[in-house]
Amino acid sequence: MKADPSNDTAGLGPLPRRTKLHAGGAMASLALVMLGLASPAAAAAPTHPAAEEVSWSSAGDRCDRYPHGNPHSHDHPIASTAAGGDKCKGATGATGPTGPTGPTGPTGDTGSTGATGATGATGATGATGATGATGATGATGANGVSGYERVSNSASCENDNLCQVTVNCPPGKVVTGGGISSNTVGNGLVLMETFPVNDTSWRATLENDTGLTITITAWAVCANAT
C-alpha cells in the first residue's frame, strides 16, 4: 500500500508505515535539530528506516526490502521490484522433463586405416567329416587278355649251319610274345634273330658252331584275339 502524500515533512518524501525496526529514529531526530531543519517537535517524530530486511522463505533466504538502496523511493518494496533488481532468491524448482532427442547429425569422415593386427594362433584341427556317398559305377572297360596259351616248334640243327624255326598260334589267337631255346648250352651257339613274323607266328634263327648236331625250339605266347 502506498504512503499518504499528506504526511510529507520538509520535502523529505512520503513516510512509510511503521515497521518493526526503529533503530535509526533517535539518531535521525538529533541530526535534524542540529541542522535546524525542523523544530524539536518535528525532530522527535520517527524518521524513515534506512532499510528493512524481512524473511522471504523458510529456507533462510534474506531479501532487501529496498532493492534500489533508497528508503525514500516511491517504489513498492519487494513486490514492485520483481523485474528491476529484487535480490530475493526463491527455492530451486524441480528439474524439468528431458527434451526430445535431436536429429541425427551428418556422417563423419571415414577414419584412416588402422595398422594390420598380429597373426592369430593356429586353430585346432577340425573333426573328421562324414564319409561321402558311394559314387556311380563306372563304365565297363575293354576285355582283357583271355585264352592265354604258350606253343612251341622244334627242329634239328647240324654243326656249322644257320638254322631257323617258326611257330604258329592256334586259330582265333594272336601272338603276344616269343623266344628260342636249345638242348645244348656252350660256345659256338650264336642267336641271330627272334621276332613275330605276323600277328599269329613267331620265328627264331640260330647259328650252330658247336661241332655237334643240336635241337632248337621256337616258342610263342598266344591269346584270344578279342
Side-chain angles (χ1 to χ4, degrees):
M1 182 178 69
K2 297 183 68 175
D4 187 349
S6 63
N7 291 331
D8 288 352
T9 303
L12 297 179
L15 293 175
R17 292 182 303 167
R18 289 181 178 270
T19 60
K20 296 179 180 180
L21 298 179
H22 303 286
M27 294 298 295
S29 297
L30 179 61
L32 290 174
V33 172
M34 293 177 66
L35 293 175
L37 297 178
S39 64
T47 61
H48 303 298
E52 179 182 11
E53 291 186 354
V54 297
S55 177
W56 179 256
S57 67
S58 61
D61 186 21
R62 305 293 290 176
C63 301
D64 186 356
R65 183 172 181 179
Y66 299 99
H68 297 293
N70 182 6
H72 305 295
S73 172
H74 290 277
D75 293 340
H76 291 291
I78 302 176
S80 64
T81 60
D86 184 11
K87 298 180 180 180
C88 296
K89 180 180 179 182
T92 301
T95 302
T98 302
T101 301
T104 302
T107 302
D109 297 334
T110 301
S112 57
T113 302
T116 301
T119 302
T122 302
T125 302
T128 302
T131 302
T134 302
T137 302
T140 303
N143 293 331
V145 175
S146 62
Y148 174 85
E149 184 179 357
R150 186 176 63 179
V151 295
S152 63
N153 183 27
S154 299
S156 177
C157 181
E158 294 179 356
N159 181 46
D160 199 21
N161 279 306
L162 187 64
C163 303
Q164 186 178 80
V165 181
T166 300
V167 58
N168 298 314
C169 290
K173 295 186 178 184
V174 295
V175 64
T176 60
I180 188 175
S181 64
S182 170
N183 63 346
T184 300
V185 177
N187 294 332
L189 293 176
V190 180
L191 177 63
M192 304 300 295
E193 59 184 6
T194 177
F195 64 98
V197 178
N198 50 43
D199 291 341
T200 60
S201 301
W202 192 271
R203 178 176 295 170
T205 303
L206 183 68
E207 181 178 351
N208 181 13
D209 292 325
T210 63
L212 300 171
T213 298
I214 63 174
T215 300
I216 59 175
T217 303
W219 298 89
V221 179
C222 305
N224 292 333
T226 57

